[in-house]
Amino acid sequence: MPRLTLTAVSKRFDRFQALDSVSLAIPDGAFLALLGPSGCGKTTLLRLIAGLEVPDDGEIRFDDDVVAGETAFVPPERRRIGMVFQSYALWPTMSVRGNIEFGLKVARLTAQERAARIDEVLDVVGLRGLGDRRPHELSGGQRQRVALARSLATRPKLILLDEPLANLDAHLREAMLTEFRRIHSLTGATFVFVTHDQDEAMAVATHVAVMDRGRLEQLGTLEELYRRPASPMVARFIGRGRTLPVKVVKSEGGRTRVMLGQQLLDMPGDAPVGHGWLAFHASDLRRAPEGGQLKTELVGQVFQNGAFLSHCLPTEIDGDVVSLALPERLAPGTPIELAFTGGWVIGDGGTGHGGSGDGVPDVTGRSSACRPAVISLR
Ligand SMILES: Nc1ncnc2c1ncn2[C@@H]1O[C@H](COP(=O)(O)OP(=O)(O)OP(=O)(O)O)[C@@H](O)[C@H]1O
Ligand SMILES: [Mg+2]
């Protein structure tokens, strides 16, 4: 059963459409990373899930319960969620214990229950013994963990994290990510984690959603988004992907035949006949001594991870620079022929998926009209 289901959720601020018919479902215990360019609506989506904003259209359900919809609205304090935002928002004059206790008082736990619960969550986040300190006596990472402890104390089933690592240094980010993963498996709660950082998402997420301009572009595992992007935007956004324009001449059973310039290629994919895109990553290209499928000219190289990351401009088609690792240094202008060892063909507008409001996409990104709503994680 999905823990969290959004059906055609829209939100406008005056005339600005911040969210446009977003539909998604994630299962109990998922760790969803929400990715997308700045301003695409990630925080707005979290605020709607939390109950800090009211949707203009659509419905939000926790399990079978409607928490926001045409006829129902459950206020934030009754949604049983934990929230951690980029700014920790701790009470500066209260101790660590006092900060955590606040929500437990609201939930009307007895003093004894509160004390036991505080000890428990301080243990979970590794802050035992620091309960009497005030926020200014803690490091940034410790403060972050207090915010997390506070959100865990009420034992929420759903935890929303909005760029919680944004102002920590690289070392601390890594330590906190390990911490998040541990807490996720320890508590079994469903996490929704907004981040700008794909490496961060890869480190913790079971599912990834990519948003663009208020719409959900795709929901799936990171591998699915990487190997089978549903739209040109996702293809370019995930893992520094590249796209080249192609003409789809045939598409059948997950295979396509496309024209890349004058070259006829047989590629996996799912796209209607007509204009489309070949999506790929650096690892899908190799240099072909002759008779390659894409003729290019070297424009620059960067030494990276023991090889030369080489940027090559197509010479016979109108396409962007493509990149691949080569073992040697070459002069700019060197002609380089490339062949594809992998890739994925998509239609001009994508393959049809989330955000259209005509069904709730499951974790494969396909509509529930043709797939079960959710694939269980365990
Ligand atoms: N209260 C508001 N009133 C008017 N416009 C708003 C309001 N809140 C958000 N917006 C607009 O809605 C859009 C989405 O904002 P949101 O904060 O959800 O983006 P985001 O994806 O979280 O971006 P970032 O990655 O920069 O945090 C933005 O264009 C923003 O300016
Ligand atoms: Mg934001």
Side-chain angles (χ1 to χ4, degrees):
M1 172 168 303
R3 160 66 49 197
L4 172 66
T5 310
L6 276 70
T7 313
V9 170
S10 292
K11 179 70 188 171
R12 282 178 295 278
F13 294 112
D14 297 322
R15 259 186 263 147
F16 180 74
Q17 189 84 40
L19 288 181
D20 185 4
S21 197
V22 172
S23 298
L24 64 86
I26 53 168
D28 208 359
F31 199 127
L32 174 72
L34 200 52
L35 299 176
S38 182
C40 71
K42 303 179 295 293
T43 297
T44 306
L45 191 69
L46 280 204
R47 289 176 59 81
L48 281 160
I49 296 169
L52 300 171
E53 301 278 0
V54 182
D56 296 315
D57 288 301
E59 190 178 85
I60 302 173
R61 268 182 289 143
F62 292 178
D63 291 333
D64 284 335
D65 301 328
V66 176
V67 294
E70 230 167 77
T71 54
F73 185 79
V74 178
E77 64 277 11
R78 288 188 30 226
R79 292 196 183 188
R80 292 203 58 198
I81 48 172
M83 273 182 283
V84 180
F85 290 102
Q86 184 179 345
S87 60
Y88 324 124
L90 300 177
W91 304 100
T93 56
M94 278 189 205
S95 68
V96 167
R97 294 189 78 87
N99 265 284
I100 299 170
E101 189 169 30
F102 189 77
L104 300 174
K105 280 186 178 161
V106 173
R108 293 173 188 268
L109 268 64
T110 66
Q112 206 180 0
E113 287 168 332
R114 296 199 299 267
R117 201 67 83 78
I118 293 166
D119 288 340
E120 180 191 306
V121 291
L122 285 177
D123 266 352
V124 169
V125 300
L127 288 182
R128 175 187 257 187
L130 297 188
D132 295 325
R133 295 227 192 142
R134 283 172 211 279
H136 74 271
E137 297 168 323
L138 299 171
S139 73
Q142 288 166 336
R143 267 178 252 170
Q144 186 67 67
R145 282 187 268 167
V146 176
L148 188 61
R150 183 178 54 183
S151 74
L152 293 171
T154 52
R155 293 191 182 152
K157 289 296 193 78
L158 182 61
I159 296 179
L160 309 174
L161 305 132
D162 195 355
E163 297 194 52
L165 307 179
N167 42 24
L168 302 183
D169 70 36
H171 181 72
L172 214 49
R173 289 166 83 93
E174 219 159 280
M176 284 303 295
L177 279 176
T178 310
E179 201 70 11
F180 281 148
R181 203 160 24 187
R182 193 175 66 83
I183 292 167
H184 177 242
S185 58
L186 207 68
T187 59
T190 305
F191 281 58
V192 182
F193 180 95
V194 172
T195 175
H196 271 286
D197 185 334
Q198 292 184 25
D199 293 338
E200 220 168 83
M202 269 185 248
V204 291
T206 58
H207 301 79
V208 179
V210 176
M211 291 180 62
D212 189 30
R213 289 174 290 176
R215 294 177 70 88
L216 176 72
E217 288 281 315
Q218 193 173 2
L219 169 69
T221 64
L222 196 58
E223 192 186 339
E224 283 166 345
L225 270 60
Y226 189 92
R227 302 214 179 281
R228 298 197 296 279
S231 71
M233 184 268 167
V234 175
R236 291 176 203 127
F237 190 76
I238 297 289
R240 295 186 194 89
R242 297 293 157 93
T243 55
L244 287 173
V246 291
K247 218 170 100 192
V248 182
V249 291
K250 193 176 166 196
S251 181
E252 203 176 85
R255 300 291 305 182
T256 56
R257 190 160 295 167
V258 298
M259 292 296 295
L260 175 68
Q262 298 305 310
Q263 291 283 332
L264 190 62
L265 307 182
D266 209 12
M267 281 280 172
D270 179 12
V273 168
H275 186 265
W277 297 93
L278 174 59
F280 57 95
H281 295 89
S283 57
D284 294 320
L285 290 173
R286 68 174 174 82
R287 191 174 180 189
E290 54 194 41
Q293 296 158 326
L294 181 66
K295 291 189 170 47
T296 71
E297 188 181 286
L298 185 69
V299 290
Q301 286 182 314
V302 188
F303 188 68
Q304 203 176 70
N305 301 326
F308 293 91
L309 181 65
S310 308
H311 305 299
C312 308
L313 186 67
T315 46
E316 293 185 351
I317 61 162
D318 189 16
D320 289 339
V321 165
V322 301
S323 309
L324 79 162
L326 292 177
E328 74 252 90
R329 184 177 284 290
L330 297 166
T334 304
I336 295 188
E337 294 200 23
L338 299 173
F340 290 90
T341 55
W344 178 254
V345 175
I346 39 187
D348 210 5
T351 44
H353 50 84
S356 62
D358 55 355
V360 177
D362 62 18
V363 292
T364 66
R366 292 178 194 274
S367 160
S368 57
C370 55
R371 288 281 185 104
V374 154
I375 292 173
S376 175
L377 279 176
R378 296 161 187 193

